[in-house]
Amino acid sequence: RPRAGTGAGVPTSACARPAAHTALPAMLDAHALQRWWLQAVLFQDTLVGRDKTMRLVQYTARCLSGLTGSEVWHELLVKLALARKTLRFGRQLRWVKDMRECLLYEKDALNRITTLVEQGSYIIYCCVDHATFAQRIKLLPLAPRRSDVLDRFAEFFWLTECIPAIVREVRAYQTGNGAKEGSQPWLERRAKAKLLLLKLFCDLPCSIYFMQRASWRNRRAHKAWCGFLGVVASAVSIHMNWPRTAALRE
């Protein structure tokens, strides 16, 4: 009979097998972590990636400011809101290009009209937002009341950006954008529309929130729900823009 503790009589392969089974998931986890890290590098190297990440943190701070009343969270959201204004400089050039391509190549009338209204609203929003940035750095001297009116005027164009996009995406979800029902393009367009509608239905009440008076916006309950919806919309944006299919050098 084998002596106790020697392991005699047990095949070597049987002893090694549990270690091999344990090592394989660890290797897969390490590979997945490395791939996620490289994708995050690509994502943060883009303007969209940095903007959406800052938006996620900004709205998280808004929500926590409302829930806790902490001045730290309030200051964080104020500083990030100002920082994100600088990321909008020159964005109009890209959207004018997109509007031109929509006019030239979009054949569906509803898609063309709603997209042009959405993009045109964003261009106007950026222009007015530049004025609010000038006010923040004291280049444009405005009394608090007029500054609040300017902020609320800018957010009106966020509202007019959301509404036509919702109309377009609702129809895209219903019809698959004209693709054959059940086909891969039909499924993919419906999946994209579902995500966009989730984001837009979070953005819409946020745009209405920002059109209210400062005294109403600064109530903690309102800051909390707006911040929560902004976090959801930001997470959807990050998910949709994440470079999953990019060629990664590992």
Side-chain angles (χ1 to χ4, degrees):
R1 192 176 68 178
R3 287 179 299 169
T6 62
V10 180
T12 303
S13 59
C15 294
R17 191 177 299 119
H21 285 176
T22 304
L24 183 58
M27 291 174 60
L28 292 175
D29 289 345
H31 181 77
L33 181 61
Q34 182 188 29
R35 184 173 181 84
W36 178 89
W37 169 56
L38 293 173
Q39 289 173 337
V41 170
L42 288 177
F43 184 67
Q44 292 301 323
D45 270 348
T46 66
L47 176 62
V48 170
R50 291 189 293 275
D51 180 45
K52 300 307 180 186
T53 303
M54 290 174 67
R55 186 181 193 257
L56 177 65
V57 178
Q58 175 192 345
Y59 277 90
T60 300
R62 182 175 296 278
C63 182
L64 292 175
S65 174
L67 291 174
T68 66
S70 169
E71 191 67 19
V72 174
W73 293 118
H74 175 74
E75 287 299 316
L76 177 60
L77 79 89
V78 169
K79 298 304 186 289
L80 285 173
L82 181 62
R84 289 186 62 224
K85 291 181 183 296
T86 65
L87 299 181
R88 299 187 184 110
F89 292 135
R91 293 290 291 274
Q92 300 94 325
L93 300 176
R94 166 65 185 273
W95 283 69
V96 167
K97 174 180 176 291
D98 290 345
M99 290 181 73
R100 176 178 177 274
E101 291 178 352
C102 180
L103 278 170
L104 291 175
Y105 305 117
E106 180 58 66
K107 304 303 181 184
D108 184 89
L110 186 139
N111 283 350
R112 183 169 61 252
I113 292 170
T114 53
T115 301
L116 289 174
V117 173
E118 175 194 13
Q119 294 172 339
S121 296
Y122 184 75
I123 289 173
I124 298 172
Y125 174 86
C126 285
C127 292
V128 181
D129 191 63
H130 296 341
T132 66
F133 178 79
Q135 185 276 327
R136 298 296 193 276
I137 63 172
K138 310 303 181 184
L139 180 63
L140 182 63
L142 291 175
R145 180 178 175 278
R146 291 190 175 185
S147 174
D148 184 48
V149 170
L150 180 62
D151 289 342
R152 293 159 63 188
F153 176 68
E155 302 306 335
F156 171 76
F157 294 101
W158 187 12
L159 178 69
T160 61
E161 180 187 348
C162 290
I163 293 174
I166 289 173
V167 172
R168 183 188 63 235
E169 296 306 318
V170 166
R171 193 184 72 155
Y173 181 75
Q174 292 174 338
T175 67
N177 218 28
K180 182 180 178 181
E181 185 172 351
S183 65
Q184 191 63 27
W186 185 82
L187 294 172
E188 290 176 355
R189 186 63 183 91
R190 279 172 54 90
K192 179 181 177 181
K194 188 188 302 183
L195 287 173
L196 283 172
L197 286 171
L198 173 59
K199 175 186 178 299
L200 289 164
F201 281 124
C202 290
D203 281 342
L204 184 64
C206 288
S207 68
I208 296 172
Y209 163 89
F210 282 109
M211 290 171 61
Q212 308 306 311
R213 299 185 309 275
S215 59
W216 190 91
R217 298 196 306 269
N218 290 331
R219 294 177 188 173
R220 287 178 54 182
H222 298 324
K223 291 173 73 174
W225 68 254
C226 179
F228 173 76
L229 292 178
V231 167
V232 174
S234 301
V236 172
S237 293
I238 291 174
H239 173 78
M240 294 187 70
N241 288 281
W242 193 260
R244 293 175 187 78
T245 59
L248 300 176
R249 185 175 59 191
E250 303 183 15

